[in-house]
Amino acid sequence: EAGVTQSPTHLIKTRGQQATLRCSPISGHTSVYWYQQALGLGLQFLLWYDEGEERNRGNFPPRFSGRQFPNYSSELNVNALELEDSALYLCASTPPGTIFDQYFGAGTRLSVL
Amino acid sequence: GDSVTQMEGPVTLSEEAFLTINCTYTATGYPSLFWYVQYPGEGLQLLLKATKADDKGSNKGFEATYRKETTSFHLEKGSVQVSDSAVYFCALTSSSGNTPLVFGKGTRLSVIA
């Protein structure tokens, strides 16, 4: 069974540009979660999507946005990139009805120059 | 709000040494508690969990006991191996299931032969 897959593995952008990160959950999983792992800050919750709807949002500015598609895959968009957006972005998924036992992808490393 | 505090790393141990990584939490209600592990270049993997007070989670020789009286969930292993070198994250989620995981900042463990 395929795990959570994220693309691209690495992404290099410059300040002010937009970045789009993608996540495919495990087959049968309907919830997707996005986290930011910045150096020294641990994992910070960004967004939670379930059945195509945004369920919860972390303490991030509106330039961080996303969506979930009918096949449950998800995109994270970061507009007007800033240097401090450089981080590892992790996606996780869970099956219907639970937010326990989140399964994580390997992440997308975003570097903003 | 809910929070997790874990011991600062890095922790360096010799092979076969005893490991303890401390984790304490602040939360309303009765959270579920988790330990995740992140091996170099990979995403997070669920290591073990406990969903109620006095539960003991265990996996791969690691153990942690949910202590409500001390709001703690310390990770232990009796004899570490080089392959245990990784970053370990303590996390919680509320019993209502309406909030995503809240992570500690992670503790880097290096085991030397």
Side-chain angles (χ1 to χ4, degrees):
Chain A
E1 179 183 279
V4 176
T5 57
Q6 293 187 243
S7 62
T9 304
H10 294 92
L11 190 57
I12 300 174
K13 295 286 186 178
T14 57
R15 264 189 311 179
Q17 285 189 314
Q18 180 198 41
T20 298
L21 289 64
R22 297 179 176 83
C23 172
S24 293
I26 291 172
S27 177
H29 287 196
T30 56
S31 287
V32 169
Y33 312 81
W34 288 96
Y35 295 88
Q36 182 194 66
Q37 186 178 15
L39 197 62
L41 294 179
L43 277 80
Q44 306 293 318
F45 165 68
L46 264 167
L47 290 160
W48 170 16
Y49 291 97
D50 179 54
E51 297 283 357
E53 300 286 330
E54 183 180 299
R55 297 297 184 193
N56 204 345
R57 182 183 181 86
N59 188 25
F60 280 83
R63 58 191 186 81
F64 287 84
S65 65
R67 55 180 172 167
Q68 187 178 33
F69 299 98
N71 67 353
Y72 303 111
S73 66
S74 177
E75 272 183 2
L76 173 68
N77 295 294
V78 188
N79 294 321
L81 285 165
E82 301 178 2
L83 296 178
E84 53 265 34
D85 297 333
S86 295
L88 181 66
Y89 289 84
L90 292 169
C91 172
S93 70
T94 55
T98 180
I99 67 169
F100 295 171
D101 294 1
Q102 295 188 12
Y103 292 81
F104 283 79
T108 293
R109 173 75 61 187
L110 173 63
S111 298
V112 182
L113 307 178
Chain B
D2 297 344
S3 66
V4 174
T5 302
Q6 53 182 115
M7 61 187 291
E8 297 283 333
V11 174
T12 302
L13 295 173
S14 298
E15 213 167 18
E16 299 184 3
F18 185 86
L19 168 71
T20 300
I21 300 177
N22 290 337
C23 171
T24 57
Y25 68 89
T26 302
T28 55
Y30 301 93
S32 294
L33 302 173
F34 305 81
W35 276 100
Y36 278 81
V37 57
Q38 185 178 32
Y39 297 104
E42 299 183 13
L44 275 69
Q45 301 175 24
L46 177 64
L47 182 59
L48 53 84
K49 67 178 181 183
T51 57
K52 61 183 187 295
D54 299 324
D55 267 2
K56 177 185 283 188
S58 61
N59 186 24
K60 299 181 180 179
F62 291 89
E63 293 183 340
T65 301
Y66 188 163
R67 302 287 189 200
K68 186 159 180 62
E69 64 276 13
T70 54
T71 62
S72 66
F73 193 55
H74 304 322
L75 182 68
E76 297 181 336
K77 186 175 185 183
S79 177
V80 293
Q81 305 300 313
V82 172
S83 58
D84 294 326
S85 297
V87 181
Y88 293 82
F89 292 90
C90 185
L92 66 81
T93 193
S94 72
S95 58
S96 71
N98 289 330
T99 58
L101 291 172
V102 175
F103 286 88
K105 291 188 177 183
T107 302
R108 182 175 300 278
L109 169 67
S110 295
V111 181
I112 54 177

